[in-house]
């Protein structure tokens, strides 16, 4: 029973304290109990660090599993990276980025349910990690947080990663995962001129806006003067990448892809 277990733990604890006193005769019962507590805590931290290192060591293999032909393995690997990202495990970011390529899973009417399940899981994963509102903060704070998350996804991304992210955000935009308030915030970051902001932040904002415009051209057409003023104005002259990404966004006006 629980009471028997408590008695056993108490008896074991008492025995350990007695052993501690025998090993260090100068200790009082209180000091011996404190020493035993610290030893147990040290052991707990040591075991925890060993566990974390094991998890980190498994991440490259789990990244490879994302490319498995066994769709159930893929989904389980995705579940792992969701948890790892929430606990900020080193290396989890690599898995989250790599899984974005799963958006290219077959989408024809003949696609099997497993392939469709992987795409659905991917969209749900990105929604959970980057777009889910936090009930503990205000609507405006949630909008700012989500816009920041989307911008961060573009940082240090390769061309392949940006291409997959574009397709993923295009689909999420079509399915109404991204609100107009977030779009307005992204425009605000892109067009902010009161003081200098980091280049990657402004470039990230226009990159995301360009991706969203693939699904909804009004992301650009509703405020075209902003894009002309910022991306093709002084800011664009100083940052040629910003000008390039702005031109890519403006291509949505004519449906251009080159």
């Amino acid at each position: 029973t629980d009471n028997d277990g408590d008695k056993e733990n108490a008896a074991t604890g008492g025995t350990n304290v007695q052993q501690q006193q025998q090993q260090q005769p100068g200790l009082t019962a209180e000091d011996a109990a404190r020493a035993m507590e610290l030893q147990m805590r040290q052991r707990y931290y040591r075991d925890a660090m060993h566990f974390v290192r094991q998890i980190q060591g498994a991440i490259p293999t789990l990244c490879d599993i994302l490319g498995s032909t066994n769709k159930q393995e893929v989904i389980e690997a995705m579940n792992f990276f969701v948890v790892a990202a929430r606990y900020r495990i080193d290396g989890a970011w690599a898995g989250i980025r790599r899984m974005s390529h799963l958006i290219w899973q077959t989408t024809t009417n003949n696609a099997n349910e497993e392939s469709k399940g992987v795409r659905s899981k991917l969209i749900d994963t990105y929604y959970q990690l980057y777009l889910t509102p936090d009930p503990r903060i205000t609507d405006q704070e949630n909008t700012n947080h989500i816009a920041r998350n989307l911008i961060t996804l573009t940082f240090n991304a390769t061309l392949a990663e940006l291409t997959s992210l574009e397709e993923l955000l295009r689909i999420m935009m079509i399915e109404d995962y991204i609100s107009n308030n977030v779009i307005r915030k992204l425009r605000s970051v892109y067009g902010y001129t009161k003081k200098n902001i980091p280049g990657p932040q402004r470039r990230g904002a226009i990159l995301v806006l360009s991706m969203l415009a693939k699904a909804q051209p009004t992301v650009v057409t509703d405020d075209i003067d902003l894009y002309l003023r910022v991306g093709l104005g002084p800011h664009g002259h100083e940052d040629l990448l910003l000008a390039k990404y702005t031109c890519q966004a403006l291509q949505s006006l004519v449906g251009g892809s080159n």
Side-chain angles (χ1 to χ4, degrees):
T1 64
D2 293 340
N3 290 335
D4 291 338
D6 292 340
K7 291 177 181 178
E8 182 178 348
N9 290 334
T12 302
T15 301
N16 289 336
V17 169
Q18 292 172 359
Q19 292 175 348
Q20 190 75 24
Q21 285 181 295
Q22 291 173 358
Q23 293 172 2
Q24 301 182 48
L27 292 179
T28 65
E30 182 179 352
D31 289 340
R34 176 61 176 165
M36 180 58 62
E37 178 186 352
L38 292 175
Q39 287 179 359
M40 296 300 292
R41 184 176 299 179
Q42 181 187 44
R43 179 179 177 181
Y44 170 81
Y45 290 146
R46 184 172 60 248
D47 291 346
M49 291 176 64
H50 176 68
F51 175 74
V52 170
R53 284 192 291 267
Q54 285 185 311
I55 293 295
Q56 291 173 338
I59 284 179
T61 301
L62 287 161
C63 282
D64 291 339
I65 290 176
L66 289 173
S68 172
T69 56
N70 185 319
K71 303 308 177 184
Q72 187 57 43
E73 289 183 351
V74 173
I75 289 175
E76 289 175 358
M78 294 168 73
N79 287 334
F80 165 83
F81 282 114
V82 169
V83 176
R86 285 175 173 167
Y87 282 96
R88 301 182 181 180
I89 300 294
D90 289 345
W93 180 243
I96 295 297
R97 281 197 162 181
R98 184 162 177 174
M99 76 169 66
S100 67
H101 301 315
L102 297 172
I103 197 62
W104 303 107
Q105 289 278 346
T106 305
T107 57
T108 63
N109 292 332
N110 295 326
N112 59 43
E113 291 302 318
E114 286 186 335
S115 295
K116 294 177 181 178
V118 169
R119 280 171 54 91
S120 297
K121 179 64 177 179
L122 174 64
I123 292 171
D124 182 62
T125 293
Y126 268 71
Y127 178 75
Q128 287 183 50
L129 291 176
Y130 302 112
L131 300 175
T132 301
D134 186 340
R136 298 170 298 181
I137 59 179
T138 66
D139 290 345
Q140 183 58 53
E141 289 171 331
N142 270 311
T143 296
N144 296 342
H145 179 67
I146 292 170
R148 189 184 311 114
N149 284 343
L150 292 174
I151 290 172
T152 302
L153 286 172
T154 68
F155 290 173
N156 301 315
T158 65
L159 179 58
E161 289 168 346
L162 288 175
T163 301
S164 295
L165 179 63
E166 177 181 88
E167 178 66 6
L168 176 57
L169 292 184
R170 184 187 71 82
I171 292 173
M172 296 185 80
M173 185 69 179
I174 290 173
E175 297 183 3
D176 291 328
Y177 281 98
I178 300 170
S179 70
N180 289 330
N181 287 336
V182 171
I183 293 172
R184 282 192 286 268
K185 181 59 183 181
L186 289 167
R187 287 196 193 116
S188 175
V189 173
Y190 170 66
Y192 190 75
T193 57
K194 292 183 180 179
K195 63 180 181 180
N196 290 331
I197 61 174
Q201 190 171 343
R202 196 188 302 274
R203 290 194 295 269
I206 185 58
L207 270 171
V208 174
L209 287 167
S210 176
M211 294 172 183
L212 300 180
K214 296 290 183 181
Q216 186 175 311
T218 54
V219 170
V220 174
T221 58
D222 281 354
D223 199 357
I224 191 170
D225 288 344
L226 171 69
Y227 299 90
L228 297 176
R229 184 174 67 252
V230 177
L232 301 183
H235 288 289
H237 292 161
E238 295 175 2
D239 186 342
L240 295 182
L241 278 177
L242 181 70
K244 173 186 174 180
Y245 297 149
T246 300
C247 289
Q248 290 176 348
L250 292 171
Q251 285 178 354
S252 63
L253 297 175
V254 293
S257 58
N258 297 319

